[in-house]
Amino acid sequence: MRYFHSHFIIYGLLQFILLNANLYSQQEINFVEGIHADYDKCGYYFDEEKNFYNKSINNWGYNYDSLLADLEIWRLSPYVKIDSIGLSVQGRPLWRLTISEDPNSVEGKRTVHVHARTHPQETESFWVTREMINILLSEFTGPQTIRATCVYYIIPMFNPDGVELNLPRRNANNVDLESNWNTFPHQPEVAALKANFIELMSSPNPIEVMLNMHSASLCKRYFVYHDSVGTSPAFAYMQQDFITGIRSYYPTGIEPWNYYISWTSGTPLQYPESWLWITHGENVMALTYEDMYQCAGTGNFHITANALVRGVMDYMGIVTNIDEVNVVSPYEFALYQNYPNPFNPGTVISYQLPVNSNVTIKVYDILGNEVTSLLNEEKPAGIHQVSFNANSLSSGVYFYTIQAGNFFETKKMIFQK
Ligand SMILES: [Zn+2]
């Protein structure tokens, strides 16, 4: 789903020159490792052209406001607590979900940590993360068991500034947050995540599994496996067990553990996994997961999420009702309840598209008269919002409708002066 219209490219070029003239003038860290010597961890090697084209995409279809809209939806669940671990360079909170049976009381719960979108363009692994959240919040017995036993800490957007500034792989200071855990002083995002790790690792129930969610141009779904040279023979076996277990739930989608082997010549220092390995060794299964990056086979995010959730629980020895965990609706069209509601006079309507669609959103009064058309245009796949201001209207019940492809839905909202 790329935009090759020439005006996008020209616009991207202007943005590139005006905003990011120094982005690639810095020395690129070319971390060559493992059997894929031409690629860095996420499959990029002086891959400026791909980054350049992606600049024409507006926040890759899911921006910071999209996250805020999702947070408002997730916040309605009794199983979620939302806080932030700190602020980005530009002062955006690094939002964190705490998911457990009682998210305000997680003593004794076994700990899993997930963070996504370190690299803003790698949205696929964010969609997987989002599906993991949906699974973990669902009322099936499997997730109930997980919530009764575990706490999941999930940071869905670790680099919100990069997302907002359309920086494919950097934060607002043009630093790659993935590969600068050994650079001092730390970027504020890195400092916040490290402090979060330190706090959790010193708690009575330290992190047992840490997933670092990325997407790579290799057009495969895989884990970045750490060779025993850079870790230990015991950890190598543990990783093989972990990855094989997850893969057993999606054998046609996820590659075997030996697909991508890293750390073959020692332990690198720059990654979050490195810090966890050096500090806590075999106590934490800390791995990067790479989803398909803009490939023909991209998708099936709910299947991947399902495999990750089930595999992680198997690895931790927690028995779940796997048949029921499997019953998860795929990523689909959706029209969400406006927020706030009732409202006065402004409110925001969110909707979700699984594919690029021509979207029409209209508002009607209680008699069925069209009040206004809020949107009528082509939108990319993802979550989007439109705002509605009822300033000139009288109080009362209104309806809003979405038409996107063959999808049509209506919801009610209340304007209360
Ligand atoms: Zn990445």
Side-chain angles (χ1 to χ4, degrees):
M1 280 180 273
R2 295 194 198 164
Y3 296 78
F4 283 115
H5 303 298
S6 62
H7 64 279
F8 277 112
I9 293 174
I10 292 166
Y11 177 67
L13 179 63
L14 284 172
Q15 276 207 321
F16 181 79
I17 292 170
L18 294 174
L19 297 177
N20 302 296
N22 66 339
L23 183 56
Y24 297 105
S25 62
Q26 300 172 2
Q27 180 69 39
E28 278 283 346
I29 297 171
N30 174 26
F31 188 70
V32 177
E33 56 179 3
I35 57 173
H36 294 277
D38 289 342
Y39 300 101
D40 78 353
K41 188 180 194 180
C42 297
Y44 304 98
Y45 178 70
F46 296 110
D47 207 352
E48 296 178 24
E49 192 181 11
K50 186 184 292 277
N51 293 341
F52 164 71
Y53 281 118
N54 281 327
K55 282 184 169 300
S56 65
I57 296 177
N58 187 20
N59 315 111
W60 299 275
Y62 189 97
N63 63 14
Y64 184 67
D65 283 344
S66 313
L67 177 63
L68 293 181
D70 266 349
L71 291 174
E72 291 309 323
I73 294 163
W74 292 328
R75 198 188 296 276
L76 301 174
S77 166
Y79 312 122
V80 177
K81 184 177 82 175
I82 296 172
D83 60 6
S84 86
I85 60 167
L87 299 177
S88 67
V89 171
Q90 296 191 335
R92 293 184 177 88
L94 307 174
W95 295 110
R96 175 178 71 169
L97 282 71
T98 302
I99 299 177
S100 193
E101 190 172 52
D102 178 358
N104 293 305
S105 173
V106 296
E107 281 166 35
K109 297 286 192 285
R110 299 177 64 186
T111 303
V112 180
H113 196 286
V114 182
H115 71 280
R117 225 153 171 211
T118 304
H119 293 144
Q121 70 179 357
E122 296 171 12
T123 48
E124 293 84 356
S125 54
F126 164 75
W127 296 122
V128 172
T129 305
R130 188 166 174 271
E131 293 294 352
M132 291 175 76
I133 294 170
N134 291 338
I135 291 170
L136 293 166
L137 297 184
S138 68
E139 293 294 351
F140 300 115
T141 54
Q144 282 174 11
T145 307
I146 293 170
R147 290 192 300 264
T149 320
C150 299
V151 52
Y152 265 77
Y153 295 100
I154 300 182
I155 297 170
M157 191 182 284
F158 177 50
N159 184 3
D161 292 354
V163 170
E164 286 302 290
L165 298 171
N166 284 317
L167 300 173
R169 301 175 58 73
R170 313 278 176 114
N171 74 348
N173 289 334
N174 282 334
V175 175
D176 184 339
L177 300 175
E178 178 63 16
S179 52
N180 279 287
W181 277 57
N182 58 338
T183 307
F184 296 90
H186 287 322
Q187 292 299 306
E189 295 90 348
V190 170
L193 187 54
K194 186 178 279 189
N196 171 53
F197 283 162
I198 289 171
E199 184 186 335
L200 291 172
M201 291 311 297
S202 59
S203 75
N205 290 87
I207 300 169
E208 293 179 57
V209 174
M210 187 286 268
L211 295 179
N212 182 8
M213 305 294 283
H214 289 260
S215 308
S217 58
L218 296 179
C219 290
K220 299 283 187 182
R221 300 180 189 86
Y222 61 94
F223 287 90
V224 177
Y225 172 88
H226 304 143
D227 195 271
S228 61
V229 173
T231 54
S232 72
F235 192 64
Y237 279 122
M238 291 165 67
Q239 289 175 90
Q240 291 168 29
D241 176 45
F242 178 80
I243 296 166
T244 303
I246 289 171
R247 184 170 181 265
S248 71
Y249 293 111
Y250 192 14
T252 58
I254 297 173
E255 298 302 313
W257 64 268
N258 57 359
Y259 173 73
Y260 191 108
I261 299 177
S262 65
W263 301 19
T264 49
S265 57
T267 310
L269 300 175
Q270 66 265 52
Y271 300 128
E273 290 95 304
S274 316
W275 182 83
L276 281 165
W277 170 253
I278 290 165
T279 319
H280 298 283
E282 289 95 354
N283 293 325
V284 187
M285 181 53 60
L287 289 176
T288 287
Y289 168 75
E290 302 272 3
D291 205 84
M292 288 185 182
Y293 174 76
Q294 296 190 3
C295 305
T298 292
N300 286 343
F301 306 123
H302 64 295
I303 298 174
T304 307
N306 186 58
L308 289 172
V309 169
R310 292 162 74 176
V312 166
M313 291 302 103
D314 288 351
Y315 174 79
M316 292 167 70
I318 295 163
V319 177
T320 57
N321 185 335
I322 56 175
D323 288 339
E324 296 202 46
V325 183
N326 202 20
V327 186
V328 174
S329 62
Y331 182 39
E332 57 198 8
F333 284 103
L335 177 67
Y336 295 111
Q337 190 64 52
N338 63 304
Y339 184 88
N341 187 48
F343 62 97
N344 178 26
T347 190
V348 174
I349 296 165
S350 303
Y351 58 97
Q352 170 175 287
L353 308 172
V355 293
N356 297 4
S357 311
N358 204 320
V359 181
T360 306
I361 294 179
K362 291 181 174 178
V363 177
Y364 295 87
D365 67 20
I366 199 159
L367 297 174
N369 302 310
E370 182 178 324
V371 173
T372 183
S373 176
L374 298 176
L375 185 72
N376 182 10
E377 62 183 75
E378 175 91 9
K379 301 296 271 186
I383 296 224
H384 307 281
Q385 293 88 36
V386 289
S387 54
F388 171 55
N389 193 311
N391 217 1
S392 60
L393 301 172
S394 49
S395 292
V397 172
Y398 291 86
F399 298 93
Y400 56 100
T401 63
I402 186 171
Q403 172 91 51
N406 293 324
F407 175 72
F408 183 83
E409 193 165 329
T410 301
K411 284 195 181 295
K412 186 170 78 174
M413 58 183 168
I414 297 169
F415 175 36
Q416 216 163 54
K417 281 185 186 173

Short mmCIF file of all heavy atoms in Angstrom, two decimals, residues 42 119 122 169 214-215, ligand 1:
data_model
loop_
_atom_site.label_atom_id
_atom_site.label_comp_id
_atom_site.label_asym_id
_atom_site.label_seq_id
_atom_site.Cartn_x
_atom_site.Cartn_y
_atom_site.Cartn_z
N CYS A 42 16.33 -4.66 11.30
CA CYS A 42 15.01 -4.63 10.67
C CYS A 42 15.09 -4.73 9.16
O CYS A 42 14.12 -4.48 8.46
CB CYS A 42 14.25 -3.38 11.08
SG CYS A 42 13.94 -3.33 12.84
N HIS A 119 10.38 2.20 15.65
CA HIS A 119 10.55 2.69 14.28
C HIS A 119 9.17 3.01 13.72
O HIS A 119 8.40 2.09 13.42
CB HIS A 119 11.26 1.63 13.43
CG HIS A 119 12.68 1.38 13.84
ND1 HIS A 119 13.26 0.14 13.82
CD2 HIS A 119 13.62 2.24 14.31
CE1 HIS A 119 14.52 0.26 14.24
NE2 HIS A 119 14.75 1.52 14.56
N GLU A 122 7.17 1.14 10.94
CA GLU A 122 6.96 -0.31 11.02
C GLU A 122 5.62 -0.63 11.68
O GLU A 122 5.54 -1.25 12.74
CB GLU A 122 8.14 -0.96 11.76
CG GLU A 122 9.44 -0.79 10.98
CD GLU A 122 10.66 -1.21 11.75
OE1 GLU A 122 10.53 -1.85 12.81
OE2 GLU A 122 11.76 -0.89 11.30
N ARG A 169 12.52 6.19 11.13
CA ARG A 169 13.29 5.35 12.06
C ARG A 169 13.93 6.14 13.20
O ARG A 169 14.75 5.59 13.92
CB ARG A 169 14.38 4.59 11.29
CG ARG A 169 13.82 3.71 10.19
CD ARG A 169 14.88 3.05 9.35
NE ARG A 169 15.79 2.24 10.14
CZ ARG A 169 15.47 1.07 10.67
NH1 ARG A 169 14.27 0.58 10.54
NH2 ARG A 169 16.36 0.40 11.35
N HIS A 214 8.86 -5.05 15.84
CA HIS A 214 9.36 -4.35 14.65
C HIS A 214 8.80 -4.99 13.38
O HIS A 214 8.08 -5.99 13.46
CB HIS A 214 10.89 -4.41 14.61
CG HIS A 214 11.54 -3.56 15.65
ND1 HIS A 214 12.05 -2.32 15.39
CD2 HIS A 214 11.72 -3.77 16.98
CE1 HIS A 214 12.55 -1.80 16.50
NE2 HIS A 214 12.36 -2.65 17.49
N SER A 215 9.14 -4.39 12.24
CA SER A 215 8.77 -4.96 10.95
C SER A 215 9.95 -4.81 10.02
O SER A 215 10.60 -3.77 10.00
CB SER A 215 7.56 -4.23 10.35
OG SER A 215 6.51 -4.16 11.27
ZN ZN B 1 12.54 -1.72 13.47
#
